[in-house]
Each structure stands twice: as C-alpha cells, then as structure tokens.
Amino acid sequence: MFKINSAVKEPVRRLFTGGFSQMGAVTRDIDRRTYNVLQNNIDYYAEKIPEIKQFAKEIKTLNPKDLGTICDTLELSEYHAMLTSVEAAVDKAYTKSLKEKLIPQMVNASKENPEGMDLVNAVINNTDSITSKYALHVMSGGVLNDKGLARQMVATSKVVPEIAKETLTGGYTMDLSKQERFMNFVKSFVQPEAQPDMIKFLFQKLIPFTDKRSEQFSIDVIDFVNSKADVEDVSARLKMVPEVLKNLGDKFKDFDIVKFLTKGN
C-alpha cells in the first residue's frame, strides 16, 4: 500500500479546494501560495508519483509562477470527476502524458520558452478540469518547447479566456466536441503563419462586432489570423462594414467579411 513520507506535508491545493469542479469556462483566482509552500507541494507529488521524483530538485529551482503552474498541473492528475467513458479516457491519457513527457517539457519551457508556460497557465486558469487535461495532453506533443512560436503563444495566452467562453459554454454534451473546438482555436493561433495582431483583433473587435449584428457571418479564422494585412487598415474597413451591409441588401449571402477586411474587396 502506498504511503506518503510523514515528513512531507499535504499540498496546498488551488484548483479543487471545495471538492467541486465547475464545467466550461472558468475564472480562477491568482496563485497566492508562497514559494516554500510550492516547494513542499513538489516534495509531496515527488513522493506520490515516482516519475516526478527525478525532476523534483530541478523543478524547485524554477521561478515561483512556473513552479505554481507545475503544481497545478500535478493537482489536475488528482482530480477524477469522470462522467463518461470518453472523459475517463482523457483522464488516462493526461496521466500518461504527465508522467512520460509533460513535466520535463514544462521544466525546459520555463527555462528556454517561458511563453509556453504562460499558455499552460492561461489554459488551467480559464477552463474546467476535462478541458485542461485534454489541452495539456495535446500540447505535450512538443509545442511548449518550440521557441519559434513564442510570439503566437503570447497572443494566444491573452485571448484564452475569450476562446473558452466562445467554445465551452452551453449544456453538457457527453463528448469532447467542446474540448476539440477549444483546441482547434488554439492550434489555429499557435502556428507559424498566425499574426499576433490579428489574433488580438479577432477577439477584441471582429467577434464582438459580428455578435452584435443580426446577420450570420461565416468567419474563416485561419484565413483571418494568417493575413498579413495591416491591422490599422483592417480596423478602418471594419468601420465601413455596416454601410456596406446596408447597401448589399439581399446580396449579403455573397459577402465574405474576412476577404473584405483583409484584401479590400
């Protein structure tokens, strides 16, 4: 039977302190745990998860923010609110990724590509446990250590709350459709062709604009964020759209808002 070293205190948990996990988009409080508390947490998990023990000493040298993110990542592995076999499979895949590759990748990211750790932190702070596990399992493929995507990671981290609200709201679906949609957005943004300014514009201006309109717009997200159009020109053209729509009338069905904003026709 497994036993924790009696000298190691129980960790100070942050995500599931009430024993209940909210579903969908969430907003977690900032991490207020002290550096000493976080280091004790690592000692606890190192005793509990043998695969983590070899990295414990190195993890404890990381900056407090990333140390807290790793503690959150480990805490996720303790929470098992499985309502379906699909969610059970996510839980199993996440635990496997955590033990085999996610933790060493996060340690390296903290040192070499901190933008990757910021993305992990944004996901955990704004999504429910199943979405966080699903997302981190997908990201364990190596993207966290890709310094070539640092700018895109910065931009994506800033809009994760909006992505979560856009993709995770609504009733329980008993599948991973919401999680897949969430990650499709993230993948669309964390790729070499994505323009950080356009990622920001999409959520700060374009989506709010279309949400307020009565028309139903089809937005090709990848085409938009990959566009190298000057963002000031795009902003100017967005201001023209109401008048353009007024003049289009029944021809609205032929209107491509992304093409209009980024290509000028």
Side-chain angles (χ1 to χ4, degrees):
M1 182 177 178
F2 174 76
K3 293 182 179 179
I4 294 287
N5 185 330
S6 59
V8 178
K9 298 178 182 179
E10 278 283 316
V12 176
R13 299 175 175 87
R14 186 175 77 95
L15 308 182
F16 310 111
T17 55
F20 172 75
S21 176
Q22 180 182 343
M23 297 181 65
V26 303
T27 303
R28 304 193 192 279
D29 291 335
I30 63 172
D31 193 346
R32 294 183 172 85
R33 293 171 294 188
T34 67
Y35 194 48
N36 287 339
V37 164
L38 293 172
Q39 289 191 322
N40 178 76
N41 284 9
I42 296 301
D43 287 336
Y44 172 88
Y45 290 115
E47 290 288 337
K48 187 175 182 181
I49 308 173
E51 293 86 350
I52 305 303
K53 197 164 190 174
Q54 62 179 308
F55 303 106
K57 185 175 180 180
E58 190 173 10
I59 292 171
K60 290 165 71 174
T61 67
L62 303 179
N63 70 68
K65 181 181 177 182
D66 292 347
L67 184 55
T69 299
I70 290 179
C71 286
D72 290 342
T73 304
L74 292 165
E75 183 182 342
L76 276 171
S77 69
E78 293 185 312
Y79 190 83
H80 307 285
M82 297 175 290
L83 302 179
T84 68
S85 59
V86 172
E87 290 172 327
V90 171
D91 193 82
K92 183 177 180 180
Y94 173 75
T95 301
K96 187 173 188 292
S97 296
L98 178 76
K99 292 179 178 180
E100 294 183 357
K101 50 189 178 180
L102 187 56
I103 292 300
Q105 288 177 8
M106 291 174 73
V107 171
N108 185 69
S110 178
K111 297 177 179 180
E112 304 292 337
N113 190 41
E115 294 83 359
M117 289 298 287
D118 289 342
L119 181 58
V120 172
N121 190 54
V123 169
I124 292 175
N125 279 334
N126 292 282
T127 69
D128 61 89
S129 61
I130 289 297
T131 304
S132 289
K133 289 181 179 182
Y134 179 87
L136 296 184
H137 167 63
V138 172
M139 288 194 285
S140 70
V143 69
L144 297 179
N145 298 142
D146 190 340
K147 293 189 289 186
L149 296 174
R151 291 171 60 249
Q152 287 83 359
M153 288 179 182
V154 170
T156 304
S157 297
K158 292 177 180 177
V159 298
V160 164
E162 285 76 17
I163 298 174
K165 291 173 185 175
E166 184 75 18
T167 60
L168 303 178
T169 55
Y172 181 57
T173 60
M174 298 187 70
D175 59 23
L176 297 175
S177 57
K178 291 182 179 181
Q179 285 71 30
E180 289 171 354
R181 188 161 181 248
F182 175 84
M183 281 309 296
N184 283 340
F185 268 93
V186 173
K187 289 177 182 178
S188 296
F189 301 155
V190 184
Q191 48 94 5
E193 296 301 316
Q195 305 299 309
D197 286 346
M198 298 298 277
I199 295 171
K200 180 180 177 181
F201 190 96
L202 176 68
F203 283 97
Q204 289 192 349
K205 294 188 177 182
L206 180 53
I207 290 179
F209 170 83
T210 58
D211 284 347
K212 292 177 182 178
R213 299 287 306 188
S214 60
E215 300 92 346
Q216 294 295 312
F217 294 90
S218 177
I219 300 176
D220 189 319
V221 170
I222 294 179
D223 272 2
F224 186 79
V225 300
N226 285 4
S227 172
K228 294 180 174 61
D230 184 90
V231 72
E232 292 185 2
D233 289 343
V234 174
S235 184
R237 287 190 167 277
L238 183 61
K239 294 176 182 178
M240 299 165 55
V241 171
E243 186 65 24
V244 171
L245 294 175
K246 181 179 178 180
N247 294 331
L248 280 174
D250 294 338
K251 295 182 179 179
F252 168 75
K253 65 180 185 298
D254 299 321
F255 180 66
D256 185 332
I257 192 169
V258 170
K259 186 176 181 181
F260 177 80
L261 294 176
T262 61
K263 299 179 181 178
N265 51 36

